[in-house]
Amino acid sequence: MKRLKRVDRFSGLAVVIALLLSVPILVIVSQVFSGSAALWQHLAQTVLPDYLKNSFYLSIGVSAGVLVIGVSTAWLTSQYHFLGSRLLNLLLMLPMAIPAYIIAYSYTGLLDFSGPVQQWIRTSFDLRYGDYWFPQIRSLGGAIWMLIFVLYPYVFLLARAAFLSQSSSLAAASRSLGNSGWSTFWRINLPLARPAIVAGVSLVLMETLADYGTMQYFGIPTFTTGIFRTYYGLGNLAAAAQLASLLLSAIALLIWLEKYSRRKQQYFNNTEAAAQPAKISLSPLAGALAFSWCLLPVLFGFVIPVCLLLVWCLQYVEQFTASFFILAWNSLMLAAVAALIATAIALLLAYAERFNRSRLTQASVQVASLGYALPGTIIAIGVLTSFAWLDHQLVPLLSGLFSKDLGLLFSGTLMALLFAYCVRFMAMPLGAARSALAQIKPSIDQSAKTLGKNTAQTLYQIHMPLLKGSLLTAFLMVFVDVLKELPATLILRPFNFNTLAVRAYELASDERLYEAAPAALTIVLVGLIPVYLLTKSIYRER
């Protein structure tokens, strides 16, 4: 009976948490058929075609770019041995540490009309504006390249893992049938890795559709920027929610595509138990070409933008004022609190699932992790709508009881921001806690019970020492993602409360790129932490 009560308590708590975390998503879905039909018709006749067209071309361009770079680098580093190939496995992941909007600021400062490159061209060849052609960085093509540089590691990671898991007997059988190495790649290796590649591209497309900072800075109207303009420009929350629901439909399609590709992968892994292929050593010339090709995305995606930020920081050290350190403190404090809350809730949900394997509990745990697939813009609009409704219900009642104007209790507070972060990033600590708990044998729980330990004592004295490594990793990953998060923070932050990401965005929007460098570089350097942990984890598994 005691165990039944404990199970019910955990399961009930998991259901309540899942319901709370799903409220913003349900609010957005409920807005599909609400709002003003006239305003919606106006949007459809004026700006919606541009949103659709730009989002479509952006998705196609970024997908093509990450496919070429991600698959080719994954193939070279997983199948061939050449000088520097092992180092490239780490270097190729470094661009993951840079938010897309920061790399956009860096290249704008370098390649824009007033940047050093065009200044050098005008000075060296005695040219003036209009006398020469130079590609426009603030364009749809420029935005596509910015996103390719920072998002290709998603495809690289998944494709490389898929290539490494393929059996050497398949390649040997293909060659025995007369196929060349190139033919074997196209006819055997690439089709087998297709589900992993599709999953990687799906993640890239979700990040592309969710991007706000780059699109807003380059002035490209997409769904994400349209949601902002509709909310801030027209002041119409319902219309913004309707646009968000359209974007949500596109994200749902991508999630289905990713799930479908993983279902197919079960069929292709029948020969996984066979020996993995030995890497082929390349000649010095071929090795140099392979190294150069793999180094290019690292140069453009990490080395050049980080060097630019570093130079600007050294030139404008006066930016490290007391206000900068206040911003840094706000960002680090907010990220730490959000990561701590998310990790604690994730541990509770994983514990509930461990003690109760019912469908209700498992469904609740799955629902709680849905937010990671959604852009911060959608979650922010959902949180804002639900908290505004709550304020309208409670504030008049409480103001009447206490005979005092209480203002807004939930909207525009740090609590709303922390709640949005938990909805957005719950999947990361939840996945870490579930996988770490799965490695602890249930017999350990039974042994603790026979020794008279209750649930809290078992968690604190036995499970926590075993889980602390995984939970620390999850904490750091949420910490860094919150530090980089821009759209949700812009919409939900309290009045006069700023973070490094928002400050960098504001300065860059005012064309004060050099002054934005300290905040941007701080975000990048902190972002290297999860990249290092991820690389270390992959090497340990290999």
Side-chain angles (χ1 to χ4, degrees), residues 47 53 85 88 156 160 170 198 283 298 311 331 370 372 404 460 469-470 512 514 522:
V47 293
K53 182 183 67 177
S85 58
L88 283 169
F156 166 75
R160 184 173 182 275
L170 293 171
V198 171
S283 65
V298 181
V311 170
S331 304
L370 286 179
Y372 191 65
K404 182 180 179 182
Y460 181 72
S470 299
R512 297 159 66 185
Y514 291 2
T522 304

Side-chain angles (χ1 to χ4, degrees), residues 119-138:
Q119 283 187 20
W120 176 82
I121 292 175
R122 292 194 295 272
T123 304
S124 302
F125 300 99
D126 194 21
L127 297 174
R128 293 180 298 179
Y129 177 74
D131 291 343
Y132 62 97
W133 177 86
F134 196 83
Q136 289 293 326
I137 185 65
R138 297 174 190 258

